[in-house]
Amino acid sequence: MTRPDAPPNTPRTAHRRGRPALVAAALAAVLLGTLGSVSAAPARAAEPPAVADCPPALAEKATCWTGRDTGGAYYTMAVPKDWNGSLVVHAHGGPDLGDASDPARSTEDLGRWAVMVEEGYAWAGSAYRRGGYGARMAAEDTENVRRLFTQRFGRPERTYLHGQSWGGDVAAKAAETYGARRGAYDGVLLTNGVLGGGSRGYDYRVDLRVVYQYYCRNHPRPTEPQYPLWQGLRPGSTMTNAGLDARLRECTGYDSAPADRTALQQRNLDDILAVTGIPERTLESHLRFATFTFRDIVSSRLDGRNPWSNRGVRYSGSHDDKALNAGVERFSADPAARRDLSYDSDLTGRVDLPVLTLHAIDDPTAFVEHEAAYRATLDGVGRGRNLVQTFTKESEHSSLSDSEYAASIAALDAWARTGRKPAPHSIAASCATFDATYGDGCFYDPGFHPKPYASRVLPRPGGLHWPAMTAAQERAWSRIEGVGIAP
């Protein structure tokens, strides 16, 4: 039985609204190449949007544009031929590494989440002005692409943030930073989000980095220049992804059949997985993050200062916990470095928009316990009423079912339009309607609730209270010159 707060259980074309006259006129003007300024928003684009090829999934269904803003961030926009008048602003995951904005990234993301456009929403996404870590930078670039869209097409009926993976943190940060501005955003969709923030959200990768080295002793090798493991990788190292993969395989045989591993490789692998709780199928990607992205954070963003700590952490689950805890490398965070990382990427929970999350229970990259951290963050400041969390019996991180994405954006839209908060089971029930179109399944588990974050990620002293950064801390830190991570 459908509850009164369920989203409309109707075919996807039926819930679309007519285009507002201003929006339709603005779109027509762009197509004719005669559009002037259609809003009071200041021009931000160094390269105005130019008509571009849409991803194959949207060929003949939408018109697409690409451009570059004054900060150097490439972006992509799409407007479907049957536009419902509302906009989805996308924050992509990663972070990608590199010094420059990737002109292909936002177009690739549009293809990946073409379902939003197929559901009638316009779409805009930024590739961010550079690679590397910086949640506030990425949030600002995400807000910039919203403003660019509004300048070109007029103000949408409603605007929704969508963040995936690390982009979940970016979108949540954008909602806290810009969401109070009247009319900027009407709701937030976070999918498989890294919602524990920067200061705590990577502690399991800190643990992986030190536990791996305890058993493998090849990253670095004894014959190579030594460096503290919190650096991830020493500055100037020429190690590649392939080189790291070879070392992991050498120590653990992780991608070999068990029969092809030596006894020592199998024991190393068993101990590393048992102690860190990281799935074998994503062991390499987590170690890559704890190597190359940690180097980016420490060396490129924090001037070589250490934001990580594993003091007071007791590791367990190995064949010899006593030896592991006695021999693993220990370190404490530099307080200013931890403050800067926290200011950049931790969340205060002070969001007054409807927020809907969708997370795979068996996500092997952003563990589902990130959702418990986000729930505790909002509850900690009395904003839990603004949050609905949904979970699916899927085992993927990078993409979930299109039917579920469609059900999620429809539920968020109904919530924003009516003010009636949906229940997880009503969202799950609505999915079948969308699956009739997309046919890739509905895997909701409406009764699931994740365990606390600390049940999966070993807490550091003082790390059990949420939010990780209070609004008062954020205000105080914002007055410190040079605080955070430079854009």
Side-chain angles (χ1 to χ4, degrees):
M1 179 177 179
T2 303
R3 286 171 54 112
D5 56 358
N9 192 15
T10 56
R12 66 188 183 96
T13 55
H15 72 271
R16 297 179 181 172
R17 297 175 296 279
R19 303 176 195 176
L22 174 62
V23 173
L27 174 60
V30 167
L31 294 175
L32 293 172
T34 60
L35 179 67
S37 177
V38 294
S39 81
R44 296 296 302 269
E47 299 175 12
V51 175
D53 291 337
C54 289
L58 296 176
E60 309 301 324
K61 298 179 181 179
T63 304
C64 298
W65 291 264
T66 58
R68 196 176 192 185
D69 71 19
T70 54
Y74 288 99
Y75 60 84
T76 300
M77 300 173 180
V79 177
K81 297 190 184 306
D82 186 15
W83 187 11
N84 65 16
S86 292
L87 169 68
V88 172
V89 181
H90 177 75
H92 76 69
D96 300 333
L97 298 180
D99 295 330
S101 183
D102 179 1
R105 178 63 200 249
S106 55
T107 301
E108 291 170 355
D109 282 345
L110 171 59
R112 192 166 159 197
W113 281 282
V115 59
M116 301 296 181
V117 180
E118 296 203 35
E119 283 300 299
Y121 294 86
W123 189 96
S126 172
Y128 311 148
R129 70 193 72 175
R130 61 158 173 79
Y133 205 83
R136 285 184 182 269
M137 171 204 72
E140 181 180 4
D141 291 343
T142 300
E143 165 66 0
N144 283 346
V145 79
R146 181 197 69 81
R147 294 181 182 182
L148 284 166
F149 185 95
T150 298
Q151 179 193 0
R152 290 298 182 183
F153 301 109
R155 185 166 168 175
E157 283 190 16
R158 290 174 189 85
T159 301
Y160 302 112
L161 277 163
H162 171 221
Q164 160 70 20
S165 187
W166 179 61
D169 184 55
V170 172
K173 178 68 72 176
E176 291 183 0
T177 306
Y178 306 105
R181 184 175 301 153
R182 183 175 177 81
Y185 297 102
D186 298 278
V188 188
L189 174 62
L190 308 175
T191 58
N192 280 2
V194 179
L195 301 174
S199 72
R200 300 179 190 173
Y202 307 122
D203 280 346
Y204 54 97
R205 287 167 171 162
V206 174
D207 295 335
L208 172 61
R209 188 67 182 86
V210 299
V211 170
Y212 175 87
Q213 182 64 3
Y214 172 79
Y215 289 111
C216 298
R217 304 192 187 281
N218 66 2
H219 186 26
R221 302 183 191 278
T223 56
E224 295 174 328
Q226 301 298 293
Y227 55 88
L229 297 180
W230 49 260
Q231 289 185 347
L233 187 64
R234 66 179 176 84
S237 172
T238 57
M239 179 182 283
T240 62
N241 287 337
L244 178 63
D245 184 70
R247 296 188 188 213
L248 177 59
R249 187 180 301 110
E250 168 193 290
C251 176
T252 68
Y254 82 101
D255 61 349
S256 303
D260 295 330
R261 297 171 187 150
T262 68
L264 179 58
Q265 285 177 327
Q266 187 65 61
R267 191 173 79 169
N268 287 342
L269 181 62
D270 289 344
D271 279 344
I272 291 168
L273 298 180
V275 173
T276 64
I278 289 174
E280 182 179 345
R281 62 194 169 108
T282 51
L283 179 59
E284 188 273 337
S285 63
H286 283 292
L287 187 60
R288 189 180 342 123
F289 192 103
T291 298
F292 300 107
T293 305
F294 275 20
R295 177 174 64 175
D296 173 76
I297 293 171
V298 170
S299 299
S300 299
R301 312 301 160 202
L302 295 175
D303 300 320
R305 298 169 296 147
N306 172 29
W308 319 119
S309 175
N310 68 340
R311 296 284 182 193
V313 174
R314 175 162 179 78
Y315 299 106
S316 63
S318 72
H319 75 278
D320 189 342
D321 291 346
K322 182 177 179 180
L324 170 62
N325 283 282
V328 74
E329 183 174 321
R330 301 281 182 176
F331 39 79
S332 297
D334 174 284
R338 192 164 184 82
R339 174 206 66 199
D340 286 353
L341 182 60
S342 180
Y343 178 77
D344 180 76
S345 55
D346 283 346
L347 301 170
T348 68
R350 294 182 67 85
V351 58
D352 291 313
L353 300 170
V355 182
L356 175 64
T357 71
L358 173 69
H359 213 118
I361 294 170
D362 192 26
D363 183 337
T365 298
F367 302 149
V368 73
E369 288 80 8
H370 275 275
E371 295 287 341
Y374 193 56
R375 165 63 69 183
T377 295
L378 268 64
D379 284 346
V381 294
R383 299 297 203 280
R385 64 186 180 279
N386 297 325
L387 177 63
V388 172
Q389 294 176 299
T390 61
F391 302 94
T392 70
K393 299 175 183 178
E394 291 170 280
S395 302
E396 299 300 326
H397 171 68
S398 295
S399 62
L400 302 176
S401 157
D402 277 352
S403 302
E404 294 162 356
Y405 287 128
S408 296
I409 194 64
L412 182 62
D413 181 60
W415 186 4
R417 284 190 293 106
T418 67
R420 292 193 296 272
K421 183 177 177 179
H425 81 267
S426 66
I427 298 173
S430 74
C431 184
T433 299
F434 301 98
D435 199 45
T437 297
Y438 298 106
D440 51 2
C442 299
F443 307 99
Y444 285 98
D445 184 349
F448 178 81
H449 298 282
K451 294 180 180 179
Y453 188 72
S455 70
R456 182 69 178 264
V457 182
L458 296 172
R460 278 53 181 163
L464 294 175
H465 179 74
W466 299 89
M469 175 182 65
T470 67
Q473 284 175 317
E474 183 179 42
R475 286 193 299 271
W477 290 345
S478 70
R479 301 185 185 102
I480 300 173
E481 184 177 359
V483 72
I485 289 176

